[in-house]
Amino acid sequence: MNIQQVVLKSSFFPIFLTLSGKPNMRKVASLCTMPNIYARITPSVRENASTKTPTTIPPTSAYIHLPFCRKRCHYCDFPIVALGSSSSQTDDDPRIRDYVELLCREINATKSEFQTDRPLQTVFFGGGTPSLVPPRLVSVILDVLGSKFGMAKNAEISIEMDPGTFDAKKMEGLMKLDVNRVSLGVQAFQEELLKACGRAHGVDEVYEAIEIIKSCGLQNWSMDLISSLPHQTAEMWEESLRLTIEAQPTHVSVYDLQVEEDTKFGILYKPGEFPLPSDTDSAGFYRMASKALAEGGYSHYEISSYCKRGFECKHNSTYWKNNPFYGFGLGAASYLGSLRFSRPRKLKEYTNYVQNLEKGLVDCHGDNDVDIKDMAMDVVMLSLRTSSGLDLQSFGKAYGGHLVHSLCRAYELYIKSGHVVCLDEQRRALTVDECNGLVLSKDDSLTKLRHIRLSDPDGFLLSNELISLAFRVISP
């Protein structure tokens, strides 16, 4: 799963990352003129800011939203089109065909200020359930992207797939299109949990999907799991983690369920109350995942992401490294120039958006008037999601050394408690005494302190408080 899924699938945004003290969003309406269209930006979109000058860095990543699902899951509040629970043969479905045509129109109508000498390095098909879309239509989208922006020969092309929506023939057809990475939406290995979530697949189909992927020879594949589901026990979660490790995907994403009010779960349940696990239980699930996956040979490189060596999701890294990106399709988010914006979430409004885009009535270039404090907060939030952490030297050059010193002083207690880890230029972890000496110093010795990161798992579990604290330092 990628950051677009965090944007679009807010139900999975980890509970310990929901920032109650998050600053107000920068205003988009003044930057993006869409006649007859309300340009809506979700709070999560602000995470995709960049410290780099946007006009000098061409986007080399594209997210494509394919919204089709057999039915809506009980936790889902993101933009989808439900085809019907029995819809697995979708080759001739006019709803898919018409949407792909509209999507391609949007891509073609998008104005680009950049030359195509830096082609797309990553493409991510998210949803929805993109594996419901026939390979021939995926091919059409890839052709349009390649024609418009160029496509690198070794581009990472990812697609989300759900068990029960593809067979070996479809998998092989996608691989012939150079799709080389799959994100498999398993969520749980217990039949009762899958049914309780309203998932359209069962456990048998999970095993079938894993076998198909392996038999087709695909090496780079990820598995998604959800923790804190209704009636989920520690034993169930341990079993799901164990079976995931036994399946040996090269990447695992673990998301903590968030109950949204406009979902079936939102009607039935209240967070933290039975049959949902308590916050303490949810934190326990996170610690279990961190421990089990580390023992299974996976590196915890981002708050929700684990991988075997060399199998980090390159597309997701676009977001964590603060690089610009394209987004296309229903509800998709983009970061272009200094502007972060989302398409409409409803199909009728999205259709109107594309029509206005083709008529030249949509201006999303902005005026590059972005609040420097907002940009600094974006960098902190993104960086502290990763195991690499925040590069204090780069941050200081961009936003001022005084801010680096103030941030480190604010984290002094958390450095002592071990929730914040200090690193030198060689990424050696400094002792608490070494860190305190640098933080308290009033000369330039703080430059010896090169990075700070959150500890795994306890620092990540406190990321809500730690990032909010950073925000208060940056914008008191």
Side-chain angles (χ1 to χ4, degrees):
M1 189 174 287
N2 64 101
I3 189 65
Q4 285 278 351
Q5 302 299 338
V6 175
V7 173
L8 296 170
K9 300 186 177 184
S10 56
S11 296
F12 296 148
F13 200 62
I15 190 168
F16 38 86
L17 287 178
T18 304
L19 305 180
S20 57
K22 197 170 180 178
N24 291 331
M25 294 295 302
R26 65 190 62 139
K27 300 299 181 181
V28 174
S30 61
L31 301 181
C32 185
T33 305
M34 299 183 183
N36 303 319
I37 298 291
Y38 175 61
R40 187 177 87 72
I41 184 168
T42 62
S44 296
V45 174
R46 77 181 303 281
E47 296 171 22
N48 303 323
S50 173
T51 60
K52 305 176 179 68
T53 304
T55 55
T56 63
I57 305 176
T60 57
S61 294
Y63 172 82
I64 309 297
H65 190 64
L66 300 178
F68 305 102
C69 286
R70 289 183 285 185
K71 62 177 183 175
R72 183 178 288 276
C73 297
H74 298 339
Y75 48 72
C76 172
D77 75 333
F78 27 91
I80 71 162
V81 176
L83 301 176
S85 58
S86 62
S87 297
S88 56
Q89 300 301 321
T90 54
D91 287 357
D92 298 315
D93 194 312
R95 293 169 291 182
I96 297 180
R97 186 175 62 247
D98 292 347
Y99 176 84
V100 169
E101 179 183 355
L102 184 65
L103 176 70
C104 290
R105 285 168 55 192
E106 183 197 357
I107 296 170
N108 279 321
T110 298
K111 295 179 181 179
S112 176
E113 302 174 358
F114 309 105
Q115 301 296 322
T116 57
D117 57 346
R118 291 197 66 192
L120 295 177
Q121 300 290 330
T122 74
V123 176
F124 196 105
F125 290 96
T129 308
S131 49
L132 288 172
V133 177
R136 63 181 178 84
L137 294 180
V138 175
S139 177
V140 169
I141 299 169
L142 288 171
D143 287 345
V144 172
L145 285 171
S147 177
K148 181 74 176 182
F149 305 112
M151 190 75 68
K153 185 176 181 181
N154 61 342
E156 177 192 84
I157 303 178
S158 305
I159 188 167
E160 290 185 334
M161 307 182 80
D162 275 3
T165 63
F166 65 99
D167 55 16
K169 181 179 179 181
K170 179 176 281 189
M171 184 75 257
E172 290 168 354
L174 290 169
M175 292 175 68
K176 288 179 181 178
L177 302 176
D178 293 327
V179 172
N180 50 25
R181 187 177 183 277
V182 161
S183 180
L184 187 65
V186 172
Q187 318 311 0
F189 278 87
Q190 294 77 35
E191 201 74 46
E192 60 269 37
L193 291 186
L194 294 174
K195 289 180 179 178
C197 290
R199 296 292 290 175
H201 71 264
V203 175
D204 287 345
E205 289 171 306
V206 169
Y207 288 114
E208 290 173 5
I210 293 171
E211 181 58 33
I212 290 169
I213 291 172
K214 290 184 173 181
S215 67
C216 290
L218 186 69
Q219 297 296 316
N220 193 359
W221 67 287
S222 180
M223 188 180 291
D224 288 354
L225 297 175
I226 307 178
S227 63
S228 301
L229 294 169
H231 297 287
Q232 189 176 39
T233 64
E235 290 75 22
M236 289 176 174
W237 184 234
E238 187 279 331
E239 180 182 49
S240 287
L241 291 169
R242 175 174 55 80
L243 293 173
T244 294
I245 294 169
E246 289 178 4
Q248 286 296 294
T250 50
H251 189 282
V252 180
S253 294
V254 175
Y255 302 98
D256 192 88
L257 176 71
Q258 291 293 280
V259 177
E260 305 295 337
E261 62 180 67
D262 295 327
T263 65
K264 186 170 182 178
F265 277 179
I267 296 171
L268 295 173
Y269 308 125
K270 291 184 179 180
E273 294 184 7
F274 185 81
L276 295 179
S278 67
D279 290 348
T280 300
D281 290 335
S282 294
F285 288 159
Y286 188 79
R287 289 190 174 94
M288 287 174 63
S290 179
K291 182 176 185 293
L293 291 168
E295 292 174 351
Y298 293 86
S299 172
H300 194 178
Y301 74 99
E302 187 270 331
I303 271 184
S304 299
S305 305
Y306 306 76
C307 71
K308 297 286 189 178
R309 181 181 294 273
F311 285 96
E312 295 86 353
C313 180
K314 295 178 182 178
H315 184 85
N316 285 0
S317 295
T318 295
Y319 309 121
W320 312 137
K321 293 177 181 178
N322 308 321
N323 289 329
F325 60 92
Y326 297 107
F328 298 107
L330 195 67
S334 291
Y335 168 60
L336 299 173
S338 61
L339 185 68
R340 300 116 187 102
F341 63 96
S342 296
R343 281 90 183 141
R345 289 169 56 93
K346 294 184 178 180
L347 192 55
K348 182 178 180 180
E349 285 79 6
Y350 172 62
T351 301
N352 291 336
Y353 164 81
V354 174
Q355 291 173 347
N356 283 339
L357 185 67
E358 291 175 320
K359 294 175 183 177
L361 300 177
V362 177
D363 177 17
C364 288
H365 294 291
D367 56 12
N368 292 317
D369 183 19
V370 179
D371 191 300
I372 193 70
K373 292 181 180 179
D374 282 343
M375 295 182 71
M377 289 187 289
D378 288 331
V379 172
V380 170
M381 177 157 53
L382 280 171
S383 298
L384 293 184
R385 284 186 65 105
T386 70
S387 61
S388 296
L390 178 65
D391 185 328
L392 296 176
Q393 188 175 79
S394 297
F395 188 77
K397 287 180 180 179
Y399 304 107
H402 68 285
L403 191 55
V404 171
H405 194 276
S406 296
L407 190 61
C408 290
R409 287 296 299 270
Y411 280 155
E412 188 176 356
L413 290 177
Y414 296 96
I415 293 171
K416 290 180 179 178
S417 66
H419 292 93
V420 175
V421 180
C422 299
L423 307 171
D424 64 13
E425 289 187 348
Q426 286 74 44
R427 298 198 64 84
R428 178 182 68 90
L430 301 173
T431 66
V432 171
D433 288 341
E434 286 176 314
C435 289
N436 287 340
L438 295 175
V439 169
L440 295 174
S441 173
K442 295 188 181 298
D443 58 26
D444 63 354
S445 63
L446 191 58
T447 58
K448 299 175 184 177
L449 174 57
R450 181 61 186 267
H451 300 86
I452 57 171
R453 63 174 176 84
L454 305 187
S455 62
D456 176 18
D458 290 338
F460 281 153
L461 282 167
L462 275 187
S463 57
N464 177 2
E465 182 175 346
L466 294 170
I467 295 173
S468 295
L469 177 58
F471 286 176
R472 292 194 292 272
V473 171
I474 295 168
S475 186

